Amino acid sequence: MSNYDKIKREVLDSSHWLVENEYLGQLTSGGNISARVPGEKNLVITPSGRSYFSLKANDICVIDFDQNAIEGSLSPSIEAGMHIGIYQNRPDVNAVVHTHQTFASVLAVIGKPIPALLDEITVEIGHVVDVVPYAYSGTAELVNNVISKLDNKCHCYLMQNHGALSLGPDMQCAMKNAELLEHVATIYYRALASGEEVQELPSAAIDYFADMRKSRFK
Ligand SMILES: [Zn+2]
């Protein structure tokens, strides 16, 4: 037993839900999931290059913010730097879910930020789901591109020609945000495909939900 067992289990269980619900591949190892260890400069993160259902809780890596191994014999995800960059720049975030979910990825490929369309999304995720410019996976350039977008305090981002990022104050919230993101991305894509004008929320509603969001997520 270690101090990290519970959080490793939570990361592993979350990865399984994401695979079962087609946010990650069944046979591939795309995407990565992490959680900040409360009170430490450490995070718990899925390993690189393993299918999620082949993993046991002890295979989940614990590393520090300099990417030194604390626990686990497998290599951490190559996107560990991106997760660390988020934790270092967003003290409000304690869990990060990077997926290749379908409709968010469609919008990431056509480079379309998601405007304020639905009440719940505007409260839970934020005003606009922005697009992080493309860079190769695992590079400092991608980390910097992600960091450059974090100031809007949003809980989700599209990664150009890649996938999606969902953040939260805890894992349950980050997972819920991934699901909400797929919901709004699906609706937005289908609304665009209809050829009709897409109506955003009225500006007074956006302000109202922004205030609600501020009081909810300090
Ligand atoms: Zn990816």
Side-chain angles (χ1 to χ4, degrees):
M1 290 289 284
S2 88
N3 293 339
Y4 305 113
D5 285 354
K6 188 165 171 247
I7 195 159
K8 284 180 187 174
R9 187 78 244 172
E10 187 176 41
V11 166
L12 185 62
D13 289 347
S14 299
S15 74
H16 288 169
W17 188 93
L18 291 166
V19 173
E20 284 166 350
N21 289 280
E22 301 184 348
Y23 287 67
L24 301 170
Q26 299 272 343
L27 304 176
T28 54
S29 58
N32 27 75
I33 299 110
S34 75
R36 188 200 297 267
V37 179
E40 298 181 12
K41 288 187 174 173
N42 297 331
L43 66 153
V44 173
I45 187 164
T46 47
S48 177
R50 300 292 179 116
S51 78
Y52 292 99
F53 279 109
S54 72
L55 297 174
K56 297 192 167 49
N58 272 346
D59 294 326
I60 306 296
C61 307
V62 184
I63 58 174
D64 66 19
F65 282 1
D66 293 320
Q67 301 200 40
N68 298 307
I70 307 291
E71 277 190 12
S73 54
L74 299 178
S75 301
S77 163
I78 62 159
E79 301 291 15
M82 179 175 77
H83 291 245
I84 292 165
I86 294 169
Y87 293 130
Q88 288 179 318
N89 288 277
R90 287 282 297 270
D92 58 307
V93 169
N94 294 308
V96 175
V97 173
H98 163 51
T99 62
H100 296 162
Q101 58 196 75
T102 304
F103 280 93
S105 299
V106 169
L107 295 176
V109 165
I110 60 179
K112 273 225 173 272
I114 305 174
L117 299 175
L118 303 169
D119 300 359
E120 188 185 16
I121 304 295
T122 310
V123 176
E124 300 293 336
I125 292 181
H127 179 176
V128 174
V129 180
D130 210 348
V131 181
V132 174
Y134 178 82
Y136 293 131
S137 291
T139 60
E141 187 184 0
L142 182 58
V143 176
N144 289 333
N145 289 352
V146 169
I147 290 171
S148 75
K149 296 291 182 180
L150 295 174
D151 279 351
N152 67 3
K153 297 291 178 195
C154 195
H155 274 153
C156 290
Y157 301 88
L158 306 175
M159 297 170 69
Q160 185 194 330
N161 294 86
H162 187 158
L165 272 170
S166 295
L167 323 177
D170 55 42
M171 183 60 76
Q172 195 179 13
C173 189
M175 293 288 289
K176 188 175 70 177
N177 287 335
E179 186 179 54
L180 287 171
L181 173 63
E182 193 62 3
H183 174 64
V184 71
T186 305
I187 287 174
Y188 188 39
Y189 171 74
R190 289 180 174 167
L192 290 170
S194 76
E196 300 291 329
E197 183 189 353
V198 176
Q199 299 186 80
E200 297 181 22
L201 284 172
S203 60
I206 294 172
D207 292 345
Y208 175 72
F209 292 122
D211 284 347
M212 196 183 287
R213 179 172 172 73
K214 266 188 215 149
S215 64
R216 182 120 173 235
F217 302 106
K218 302 281 185 195

